[in-house]
C-alpha cells in the first residue's frame, strides 16, 4: 500500500506560536516569563492556507473534508490539550486563530506545541493515493518546546492526581534529595499538589479568599521539611561559595531571608532546641498571619 498524498509544504504557512500570560503576549520561544502553576496561560497559532495548492497537492476536492488541530502536551504531568477546527470554516474566518487555554495546574516544567491537518471523516471511492481514513495526517508544523520553569524564580511544582499515583489523599507532598547540595535545586526538590483534594483549587487559584492562608501553611511546611532534610547532611552544608541556583545556594538564601542566619548557624540552633526552632519557624514564615 502506497502512502497517501500530503499537502505541499508551501500550501500552509504555519507562522509562529504566541503565548499570553498576565496580560502580556509574546512569540513563544525559550522560557515563558512570569508563569507559575496558578497563572493563566494561552497558546495561539495563526496559520495561513493556500486553498488551491492544498487541494491540488492532496487530491481532495474540498477543505471541508479536513480539520486543523493544535496540541499542547506536557510530559511532566501527562496532560494533553487540543483544539480543532474545520479547515473550511477556519479558512473563511477573519481571525483564523487556533487558541489553547490549558488549566495552569495541568502544566509543569515544559510544554510541547504542535499543529497538524487531518482528514475529518472516512471517504469512499477515492484514488488509491488520496487519503481516505479519518485522522490521516496531511500536514504538520514543526513542534516547539517551551520551558515553563526555566528562569529559576519559581518553586518547582507539579499539580497531579495522587489517586492515579496510588498516594494518600494529602493536599501536597514534597519530594527532595539534599545529599548533593552542589546540584541544581530544581532537580533535587519538587512539590506535588494533589488535584483530587477538595482544597486544591483554592491553593492553585491565587485569587481565592482562602488561598493566602493555605499557602502560608504550605510555605511553613516546605521550609520545615527542607531544613529537616538539610540537617541529615549538615556536614555538607558548611561551605558558602555554592554554585548559582544550586541546592546549597537556595537553602543558604532561605536561611538568610527567613531567619537572618547562615544555614550552618540555623541548623545548629535547630539541633540544640527543636521546640524553640518550631516556634521560630512559625513566626518567621508568618504561618496563618496577615
Amino acid at each position: 500500500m502506497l502512502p497517501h498524498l500530503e499537502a505541499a509544504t508551501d500550501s500552509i504557512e504555519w507562522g509562529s506560536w504566541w503565548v499570553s500570560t498576565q496580560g502580556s503576549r509574546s512569540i513563544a520561544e525559550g522560557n515563558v516569563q512570569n508563569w507559575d502553576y496558578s497563572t493563566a496561560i494561552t497558546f495561539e497559532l495563526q496559520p495561513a492556507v493556500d486553498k488551491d495548492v492544498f487541494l491540488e497537492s492532496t487530491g481532495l476536492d474540498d477543505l471541508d473534508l479536513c480539520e486543523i488541530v493544535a496540541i499542547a502536551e506536557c510530559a511532566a504531568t501527562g496532560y494533553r490539550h487540543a483544539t480543532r477546527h474545520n479547515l473550511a470554516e477556519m479558512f473563511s474566518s477573519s481571525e483564523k486563530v487556533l487558541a489553547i487555554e490549558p488549566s495552569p495546574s495541568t502544566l509543569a516544567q515544559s510544554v510541547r506545541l504542535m499543529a497538524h491537518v487531518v482528514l475529518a471523516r472516512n471517504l469512499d471511492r477515492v484514488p488509491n493515493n488520496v487519503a481516505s481514513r479519518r485522522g490521516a495526517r496531511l500536514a504538520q508544523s514543526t513542534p516547539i518546546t517551551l520551558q515553563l520553569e526555566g528562569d529559576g524564580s519559581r518553586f518547582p511544582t507539579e499539580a497531579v492526581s495522587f489517586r492515579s499515583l496510588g498516594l494518600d489523599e494529602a493536599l501536597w507532598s514534597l519530594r527532595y534529595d539534599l545529599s548533593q547540595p552542589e546540584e541544581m535545586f530544581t532537580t533535587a526538590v519538587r512539590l506535588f499538589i494533589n488535584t483530587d483534594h477538595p482544597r486544591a483549587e483554592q491553593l492553585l487559584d491565587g485569587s481565592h479568599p482562602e488561598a493566602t492562608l493555605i499557602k502560608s501553611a504550605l510555605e511553613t511546611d516546605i521550609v520545615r521539611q527542607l531544613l529537616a532534610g538539610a540537617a541529615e547532611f549538615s556536614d555538607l552544608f558548611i561551605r558558602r561559595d555554592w554554585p548559582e541556583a544550586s541546592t546549597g545556594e537556595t537553602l543558604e538564601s532561605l536561611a538568610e531571608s527567613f531567619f537572618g542566619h547562615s544555614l550552618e548557624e540555623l541548623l545548629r540552633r535547630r539541633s540544640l532546641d527543636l521546640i524553640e526552632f518550631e516556634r521560630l519557624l512559625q513566626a518567621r514564615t508568618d504561618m496563618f498571619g496577615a
Side-chain angles (χ1 to χ4, degrees):
M1 178 178 288
L2 296 175
H4 61 258
L5 293 173
E6 296 183 346
T9 55
D10 60 348
S11 66
I12 299 181
E13 178 60 46
W14 292 104
S16 298
W17 281 93
W18 290 77
V19 58
S20 299
T21 58
Q22 300 183 6
S24 174
R25 186 172 184 266
S26 60
I27 292 179
E29 57 184 4
N31 299 334
V32 176
Q33 302 297 315
N34 303 317
W35 180 90
D36 62 26
Y37 63 88
S38 62
T39 300
I41 189 168
T42 302
F43 305 107
E44 294 180 341
L45 185 67
Q46 191 170 11
V49 180
D50 186 319
K51 178 181 178 179
D52 294 335
V53 175
F54 180 88
L55 294 178
E56 181 180 358
S57 58
T58 59
L60 300 171
D61 57 14
D62 197 333
L63 293 182
D64 186 60
L65 300 173
C66 304
E67 287 181 327
I68 187 165
V69 184
I71 298 170
E73 59 183 18
C74 179
T77 62
Y79 279 89
R80 190 171 191 261
H81 305 272
T83 184
R84 61 181 62 228
H85 295 279
N86 179 274
L87 190 56
E89 293 177 2
M90 186 168 181
F91 179 78
S92 62
S93 168
S94 59
E95 294 188 1
K96 301 181 175 63
V97 175
L98 294 163
I100 307 175
E101 300 179 80
S103 168
S105 64
T106 62
L107 302 176
Q109 296 184 30
S110 63
V111 62
R112 188 169 184 258
L113 304 174
M114 69 198 82
H116 50 255
V117 178
V118 299
L119 198 62
R121 56 181 181 270
N122 291 328
L123 301 179
D124 297 324
R125 295 186 296 277
V126 297
N128 290 334
N129 60 344
V130 174
S132 60
R133 297 230 177 152
R134 183 178 182 273
R137 188 168 299 183
L138 303 169
Q140 68 178 31
S141 67
T142 300
I144 68 167
T145 299
L146 298 179
Q147 299 300 319
L148 298 174
E149 301 177 70
D151 59 19
S153 63
R154 296 168 298 279
F155 198 90
T157 304
E158 292 184 30
V160 298
S161 167
F162 281 24
R163 188 180 302 118
S164 66
L165 299 176
L167 301 178
D168 294 327
E169 293 298 308
L171 177 51
W172 62 73
S173 179
L174 187 68
R175 177 193 63 78
Y176 57 89
D177 178 2
L178 307 184
S179 62
Q180 296 179 296
E182 296 85 4
E183 296 297 317
M184 293 287 290
F185 180 76
T186 52
T187 62
V189 178
R190 185 153 294 271
L191 174 68
F192 296 93
I193 304 295
N194 181 14
T195 56
D196 304 320
H197 197 283
R199 295 286 187 178
E201 184 176 354
Q202 298 170 12
L203 177 59
L204 296 170
D205 181 2
S207 64
H208 194 281
E210 296 185 20
T212 300
L213 293 179
I214 299 174
K215 286 185 176 181
S216 74
L218 172 60
E219 183 176 82
T220 300
D221 189 47
I222 287 175
V223 174
R224 176 188 290 113
Q225 291 194 59
L226 290 179
L227 292 177
E232 297 181 22
F233 304 96
S234 57
D235 292 345
L236 301 178
F237 285 93
I238 295 176
R239 61 177 287 187
R240 303 287 181 83
D241 56 334
W242 298 106
E244 184 178 356
S246 66
T247 299
E249 183 195 54
T250 302
L251 294 189
E252 192 70 53
S253 176
L254 181 151
E256 292 285 353
S257 60
F258 278 101
F259 302 95
H261 296 294
S262 69
L263 180 60
E264 182 182 359
E265 171 63 16
L266 184 62
L267 293 178
R268 188 188 69 82
R269 292 186 59 175
R270 180 184 182 278
S271 67
L272 292 175
D273 193 333
L274 185 57
I275 294 177
E276 180 190 24
F277 170 78
E278 282 292 324
R279 290 195 299 269
L280 179 64
L281 172 68
Q282 290 189 33
R284 294 299 174 86
T285 58
D286 199 25
M287 185 175 179
F288 298 128

